[in-house]
Amino acid sequence: MNAPAIKVGEARFGIDNAFARMPFRFGVVTMEAAAALTLELELSIDGRRAVGYASDLLAYKWFDKRPEKTPADNVADLLWVVQEAAKVARDLPSGTLFEIWRALDGEVERRALDAGFNRLGASFGVSMIERALIDGIARSLGLTFHECIRGDVLGLRPAQVFPELDGMSLADVLPATPLKRLGLRHTVGLVDPIDAGDLDPAQRVGDGLPETLADYLRHDGVRYLKIKVGGDADADIARLEKIAGLLRQVGGQFPITLDGNEQYKRLDDFAGLMEAIRSRPALDELYRSILFVEQPLERSVALDGPLGADALAAIGKPLLIDEADGWTGAFRDAIALGYRGVSHKNCKGVVRSLLNAMLVAHHNAASGEPGYFQSAEDLTCLPVVSLQADLAVVASLGITHVERNGHHYFHGLDHLPRTDADAALNAHPDLYEKTPKGAQLAVREGHLDIASLQVPGLGCALTPDLGKRIAPADWTFAMLNARPAD
C-alpha cells in the first residue's frame, strides 16, 4: 500500500487530574497526583478529513530532573512543548507520516533547546503529535497499527536515518501477527510496601485492590518484576534480601529487571552494588534471575564514553538506556559505547522505537547472536488512550512482557470521564473488568489480554470526550492538591 499524503490541521487539548491511590516514588520525586493530557488532532489524508488522538501523563521530574525546576515548571514545559510541536506540525507541508516526523523531530528539538528545555522533553512533544497522526491515519483507512507498519502505510524510510539499515524493512523484523497476551512486569518502587508488615494500618488504602508486592504475587499471579534501586548500597541490599525472601516463600520463577534510576555518576560505583549482590548467598537466585539493568548512570554522563570492561564484568548483566535515549540516534550511539538494550516508550516516540527494533535486528545479525534487545517500559501509562496505544506498539514489536504499574498507583479508570470509562469497558472487555468500585485493568495470571486492541487506530476503539476535560488555559497545577472527596 502506498503511504498517503498527510496535512496536519488544528490541535485541541484537554486535561484530566489523576489522583494516586497510594504515593509512588521514581528518581527524585514522590508523586501523589498528576495531570493527564489528551490531544485531538485534525488532519487530512489524501484530501479527506480525519481526526486522531494521543494521551499521556505530564510526568514531572522524569523528563527534566534539574533541581531548580519545580514540578509545576516541569508540567508547564511539557505542555508547552506539545503545543509548540502542534504549531510546527500544522505549518509543515503535506507529506507522508515519516516525512512529517523527520521535519518535526528536528525543528521541535531545536526550539526546545533554544527555550532551555532538553532533547528528551522535545521527544515527548514530537511523540504526542506522531501518535495522534498514526491514530488518525489508521482510523481513517480502517487499519490496525500492525497493518499500517507491515503495509508501509507510514512511509518509513529507515536508511535515511540509519544508512546501515539499507535494504531492511519492518516486515523483515517484526512478527507477522501482533501478540495477543503480554506478561505484566510489576515495578517494585523505592517506597512500595513489600509485605503487610510494611503497611501502617492507618495508611492502608482499603479499596479491595492489592497494596503490597506480596498481594500482587499471590492474588494477581505476577511473575515478572522490575526492582528499583536507590543508590544507597546498604539500604538496597537489605531491601533486595527482603524481596528475595518473599519470592522464595511464594515459589516459582521470577524473571527480574533492575532499574538503576540514574542514581550513579560512575559505573564503578554501580558495579560495587552488583558485586555486593553477587557476594550474598541469599541473593544468588535473585541475581541469576536478572535479565538486564536499566539506566544506572545519570543521563548527563551515561553516553560520555565507552563503558569500562572491568565494571561490565563485575555487573555481569547487559545494560539498557532509558532516560539517555533522548534523541533519535541515541541508541546507536549507546551501542558503540557498550550498551546492549534500549527501552520502548511511546512517550519517547513510536517511530524511534520502530527504528530501534531494526537496529537491534541489524546488530544481532552482524554479531551472530541475540545480544541486543528492546524492552517495554512505562511506569505510569494510564488508560485509556495512552495505555492502549503503548500496548498496541509493544504487541507489534513482539516484546513479550511489559512494565506496567499505573493500575497499582491509580485506581482503575477513575481519572477519566465516566463516558470514556464505560466505553472502554464495553469495547475492550479483555483488558478491563467491571467491579463494584468501577472499571479497572484486568490482570489474569500475571498477564494482560490485549487482542481487542487490534482495531482501526492506534489500539483504541473509542473517541475521547474532550468536552468533559479541562482546557489547558483553565487548568492550574494547584488543582493537583485538591483531591476530591470520596
Side-chain angles (χ1 to χ4, degrees):
M1 182 180 293
N2 292 328
I6 313 301
K7 182 69 178 76
V8 181
E10 295 300 319
R12 185 182 174 206
F13 301 93
I15 294 175
D16 294 303
N17 293 319
F19 295 93
R21 59 185 286 262
M22 57 178 62
F24 63 99
R25 178 183 164 199
F26 59 99
V28 297
V29 69
T30 298
M31 185 182 290
E32 297 191 42
L37 179 69
T38 298
L39 161 65
E40 179 182 271
L41 187 65
E42 294 183 359
L43 57 147
S44 66
I45 301 172
D46 288 337
R48 302 186 308 276
R49 182 183 180 276
V51 179
Y53 297 90
S55 182
D56 222 318
L57 210 66
L58 298 175
Y60 46 87
K61 293 301 177 183
W62 188 79
F63 292 95
D64 189 343
K65 296 182 181 179
R66 289 177 291 178
E68 64 270 23
K69 287 280 188 174
T70 67
D73 292 335
N74 290 158
V75 172
D77 286 343
L78 291 170
L79 187 56
W80 170 82
V81 80
V82 177
Q83 292 173 322
E84 196 70 11
K87 294 175 187 176
V88 173
R90 183 193 59 200
D91 293 339
L92 290 173
S94 63
T96 65
L97 181 282
F98 178 72
E99 290 167 342
I100 291 172
W101 169 79
R102 286 206 77 186
L104 193 64
D105 192 44
E107 179 60 18
V108 174
E109 180 175 287
R110 184 190 67 78
R111 294 189 184 193
L113 294 177
D114 285 349
F117 204 14
N118 60 37
R119 300 173 90 177
L120 186 62
S123 297
F124 178 72
V126 174
S127 82
M128 284 287 284
I129 303 302
E130 72 171 321
R131 279 180 271 167
L133 287 173
I134 293 169
D135 184 62
I137 294 167
R139 286 180 188 240
S140 175
L141 299 179
L143 299 173
T144 68
F145 172 69
H146 198 77
E147 290 168 340
C148 284
I149 56 177
R150 293 276 302 185
D152 195 30
V153 174
L154 306 184
L156 264 63
R157 298 296 176 262
Q160 292 183 17
V161 182
F162 301 125
E164 64 266 38
L165 302 181
D166 188 31
M168 181 183 291
S169 73
L170 283 171
D172 299 327
V173 172
L174 302 183
T177 58
L179 300 177
K180 296 180 180 180
R181 202 173 202 226
L182 300 173
L184 185 149
R185 183 153 38 89
H186 178 81
T187 299
V188 188
L190 292 170
V191 297
D192 286 356
I194 307 304
D195 56 28
D198 293 332
L199 279 178
D200 182 331
Q203 295 177 330
R204 282 189 173 275
V205 179
D207 58 5
L209 296 177
E211 297 186 42
T212 69
L213 174 58
D215 292 341
Y216 282 101
L217 297 177
R218 291 172 173 141
H219 300 160
D220 285 4
V222 168
R223 282 297 179 267
Y224 291 91
L225 297 178
K226 172 173 174 173
I227 303 173
K228 291 182 176 285
V229 293
D232 180 330
D234 292 339
D236 285 334
I237 291 293
R239 187 162 158 276
L240 290 171
E241 288 185 336
K242 183 169 185 175
I243 293 170
L246 173 62
L247 299 184
R248 284 192 294 272
Q249 290 176 24
V250 174
Q253 300 297 311
F254 295 93
I256 289 168
T257 66
L258 209 61
D259 186 1
N261 234 47
E262 294 191 274
Q263 296 297 312
Y264 297 84
K265 286 281 192 179
R266 299 173 63 251
L267 192 61
D268 286 344
D269 293 336
F270 179 72
L273 171 65
M274 295 297 284
E275 287 179 315
I277 292 172
R278 296 172 76 169
S279 71
R280 301 293 183 106
L283 295 177
D284 181 62
E285 186 174 357
L286 183 145
Y287 176 80
R288 285 187 283 106
S289 299
I290 295 174
L291 304 174
F292 60 82
V293 174
E294 179 182 341
Q295 188 90 35
L297 291 177
E298 201 275 326
R299 70 188 73 174
S300 67
V301 300
L303 302 182
D304 273 0
L307 302 176
D310 290 344
L312 287 177
I315 293 168
K317 302 290 180 178
L319 299 189
L320 169 143
I321 61 166
D322 180 33
E323 292 93 342
D325 180 30
W327 61 95
T328 297
F331 181 41
R332 181 169 67 167
D333 296 344
I335 288 172
L337 301 177
Y339 291 92
R340 291 295 176 263
V342 65
S343 63
H344 154 73
K345 289 183 176 178
N346 267 7
C347 68
K348 296 190 296 184
V350 175
V351 172
R352 179 182 302 176
S353 285
L354 295 174
L355 294 174
N356 283 344
M358 298 181 75
L359 285 175
V360 165
H362 167 77
H363 283 279
N364 283 337
S367 66
E369 55 184 46
Y372 298 88
F373 63 98
Q374 195 171 29
S375 73
E377 316 287 331
D378 211 332
L379 179 70
T380 53
C381 210
L382 297 183
V384 169
V385 173
S386 176
L387 173 73
Q388 294 181 203
D390 190 70
L391 291 176
V393 177
V394 172
S396 289
L397 292 172
I399 303 172
T400 57
H401 55 93
V402 55
E403 178 199 16
R404 205 82 326 163
N405 254 47
H407 63 285
H408 172 55
Y409 297 117
F410 296 89
H411 186 275
L413 281 67
D414 284 3
H415 61 287
L416 295 174
R418 180 65 180 270
T419 52
D420 283 15
D422 289 345
L425 190 62
N426 291 331
H428 303 282
D430 54 348
L431 186 59
Y432 306 108
E433 60 187 2
K434 189 173 184 178
T435 76
K437 295 191 176 183
Q440 64 188 40
L441 197 68
V443 183
R444 301 182 177 98
E445 298 177 343
H447 287 77
L448 300 176
D449 294 313
I450 58 169
S452 70
L453 303 189
Q454 300 308 314
V455 293
L458 187 50
C460 189
L462 61 101
T463 300
D465 187 348
L466 264 70
K468 289 186 168 63
R469 290 172 163 86
I470 306 168
D474 299 326
W475 183 86
T476 67
F477 190 84
M479 291 179 180
L480 299 181
N481 297 321
R483 179 183 292 271
D486 293 333

